[in-house]
Amino acid sequence: MTAVGSRSTASLRHRLAERGVDVSLLFLLPALLLIVGLFVYPFSYGIGLTFQPSALVQERWGGGVLANYVAFFSDPFVFDSVGITMRLALPAALFNVLASVPVALVLRRKFRGKRLVTSILVLPITLGTVLTAQGLLIFAGRQGWLNRFLLEAGIVDEPLRLVNNYTGVMFSLIITGFPFAFLLISSYLSGIDPSLDAAARTLGAGWWQRFRRVTLPLLAPGLATTFILTFVLAFSVFPSARLVGDAMGETRVMSLMAFRAFGEQNDYQMASTIALMMGVIELGVVALVLLWRSLLYKGSTGGKG
Amino acid sequence: MAATAPGEKPLAASPSTWLVWAGMAAFLVFLLGLLVSVVVDSFGRQWFATWLPLEATTDWYASSWERFSLGHVIGVTVGVALAVVVISVLVGVPAAYLLARRNFPGKRFVNLLFLLPILMPPITYGIPLATVMYAFGLGRSVVAVVLVNLVPSIPFVIMTMTPFIEQINPSIEHAARMCGASMRQVFLRVLGPLLVPGILAASILVLVRTVGMFELTFLVSGPQSDTLVVAIYRAMTSAGGGEARQLVSAMAVMYTTTMLVMLIVALRFVNPTQLVAQVKEARDD
Amino acid sequence: MITADRFESLELRNVGRSFGGQDALSGLDLTVRAGEFIALLGPSGCGKSTALNCLAGLLPLTHGEILMDGRRVDTLPSEKRGFGMVFQSYALFPHLTVERNVAFGLQMRRLPRAEVAQRVREAIALVKLEEHAKKLPGQLSGGQQQRVAIARAVVLRPSLVLMDEPLSNLDAKLRLDMRTEIRRLHQSLGLTTVYVTHDQEEALSLADRLVVLRDGRVQQVGTPDALYEAPASWYVADFMGYRNILPAEVVSVTAGEATVAVGGVRLTGRVVGTVAAGDRARVAVRPDDLSVVEAGDVVDGNSLTGTVSVVEYHGRELAVSVQAPDGTLLHLRAPKAPAVGATVTLTARAQRVLVFPESPEPALATTGAGTGASEQAVAI
């Protein structure tokens, strides 16, 4: 009987298996192939396209292979859409997150019909933006029930212009985004151990102190994540900007510009450039929020999520 | 923004609590107002400056059905949605299993790869993808519509299934293997039945999302491959100020009814929170 | 009747398993003979579960090999080894009834329906769960679930049954009952069993042979009484119920006996391993071997004086803690309760006092001549 040898007697297969490499990795293969084929490849292809500007763009804006980017930053019609998108997406996401907190806190209690209320709140998520748009056009239009009510109640003298402008798109973003933010924040809240609140109570903290010193810090990472997700939703707003907005004016968002280049001008190179810039800007905002979150608080939420 | 203390007795509710309730009530009224407006509009012959239409009719349904060949459109919608569900479940569940159970070199990278399509605006990858589709001659085909919808659906199935798989104790699989079950039998006889609720939930969610998916479908679909939501959009934006509003409303009501039925079915299997919540778990680490 | 398929011997040769360069188990040599009940004993993280999982095939080995009657089996996947396993968490299939849980393995082997039904009935009767056969695992108590798990493992007539702390999730009373049950099944079915536990009482009462592990290495292998009476190191002694383990210094050594200085007094005890005058050592005494000197008793050799600090009632006898003058606490059992605070004199026979070298490694291993403990194991 000898002392333990230092060299492994296991076969190569075993040694690979130990590092997690074996035939079961084949399970991953179909999903990976599809994502590579339908996401990674086209995406790289699209990036390549952005450096092959059409003759028209090159002639008009110059800049050689970078002409698409020169056009993006120099053409005010296109570049202004960045600001327009931000003016819609940032306030909408902020409002959705901030309004969700008190609602989620109130709905945290058990009461009759809780499931019904949450189910109704889920509705707009399922309906999607196109349907919300049709509803808004009818309900909040000049002759819709909303204006009619406001007129008859004597709150306004003439119908408010609530659709086909910035307000209409904002309404649409809140209607679809708020339930989403609310559900996420509810699930974060339920991840906070209620005994923490009870503990703070036994230590003599009032409700504001408990919220400010216990709940809010624990919720902060969740708020950041929720903000990111609602922002992502609002940022890529497309149908509502066209249907209830002013597509060539104050709601000329980036996705509309990208689609205009793609569908109407058939300039796939420029369309890819705008689409890519959308991704870059959105991920930039996401990264900023994540950075803020990591500076803010480094503990765990006390629960999964 | 006022907040109410959690756990406070409802009777002792402060004015701020009432404010929250009032805000919520306003939101719900607004929401129901939207829905009911569309329904009323779809049944009214003409509806202008009055509270309700003057005359009720169901003509709009018949004429929109014919005008937009909704039979075909709904057939495409259902076919596309089912194909996307089946493919993304077949492909996503094994991948989710592997990601939930195993460690391997490059796992973080693979996770990121599956996360990106959910994190990015659909247009960002949709436009290059559509360009490639047209280059391959797949543009405006039903196949293209199915393929583009797989991009967000496969990651979505993976995100939904991972927690379901994680909560199954690995020793149950070990027990099955010690009983002589091969890997295939472990999947078919043990994991499969245990994962049925999760697979059902994921399927319904993917179904609902695919039927409702506008941006990606719109980029590659054509007259023969439009899904219902794209057909409605086209009707609303068609040249010349769009179709008669009631035609669109009638389509919208049909769409809403279908979605509601699916939603009700979905809610029997999943908690409302799950419609969105599983996304965040992957994003949180 | 359920009978086990047989092998003559199962040999583990230099079996080891490392996780990312960390040895969880190394140099395990063990021969399991047919019909034996072997317990792997040690605290959590000692490598006992790793050893079991390697045997089961759930973890690939990184070193060594496993031979069944001379045939290598460590390269076979778990499902081809024909072993049965009982898990700590029961690991019942939650979607199958008791019957179908038990039948699962038989169905995997594609046995005829009638035979499956017959054997399932027998196995369920064996663990006395006839009236629960149609229930789902979720409807059963912990003890019942563990019986199902055992029935599921033995119905396959496995050549080897592996049990991974099967009783640790049960409450104290149930644990005793199940212990008897497991022993009964083992004997009546003639099963060969490898049983992992951290509970020395469980191991001593169930096993034919014990393997004590520490940090992935075997410390001692032997029959329960061999380990109980002659632990090879103070580490094993500690596990075997030698509750008083005191640091000491060797004063003199003569013919297998040593005199050591402990807390200001001198004790004489039997030397295990190698010690020399001036070495640091550990003295081990079981609570049962320490007794209070009554008036009129003749003290034979060892004696020390201390103050009674705690008295606990344990039914027939009392557990007494006595504080020696230097503050050391000594634990013993006494039939009568001394008053707390009273000064008592304690005694222990030199034969029952063990003197170990300071190192926790088994005596022979410290000499550097290979894995001495397992060599000893083969000799036993």
Side-chain angles (χ1 to χ4, degrees), chain C residues 236-314:
Chain C
V236 177
D238 190 20
F239 236 91
M240 288 295 125
Y242 288 73
R243 231 188 131 190
N244 301 300
I245 296 195
L246 312 169
E249 199 179 314
V250 180
V251 178
S252 63
V253 184
T254 44
E257 288 208 341
T259 304
V260 294
V262 183
V265 294
R266 298 205 162 187
L267 294 177
T268 306
R270 187 151 55 90
V271 176
V272 182
T274 323
V275 292
D279 282 358
R280 299 192 51 76
R282 296 271 176 130
V283 171
V285 188
R286 278 201 302 250
D288 326 41
D289 294 330
L290 265 180
S291 54
V292 179
V293 178
E294 301 287 333
D297 284 2
V298 181
V299 177
D300 155 30
N302 293 322
S303 88
L304 69 148
T305 311
T307 316
V308 177
S309 61
V310 178
V311 177
E312 289 170 44
Y313 178 70
H314 277 202

Side-chain angles (χ1 to χ4, degrees), chain C residues 110-176:
Chain C
R110 303 187 189 287
L111 295 181
R113 210 174 272 267
E115 190 187 346
V116 171
Q118 166 70 13
R119 280 169 70 171
V120 167
R121 238 191 335 273
E122 276 176 19
I124 291 178
L126 200 65
V127 294
K128 302 179 186 127
L129 284 174
E130 291 92 333
E131 71 247 53
H132 301 294
K134 304 280 183 208
K135 289 187 183 167
L136 288 171
Q139 298 166 293
L140 301 178
S141 70
Q144 289 166 336
Q145 290 190 41
Q146 196 52 281
R147 284 164 195 269
V148 179
I150 291 170
R152 185 177 65 180
V154 302
V155 75
L156 301 171
R157 302 172 186 168
S159 55
L160 179 67
V161 179
L162 306 168
M163 297 198 178
D164 189 3
E165 308 220 21
L167 306 184
S168 61
N169 281 353
L170 303 178
D171 62 49
K173 185 184 171 303
L174 211 51
R175 209 177 301 163
L176 281 180

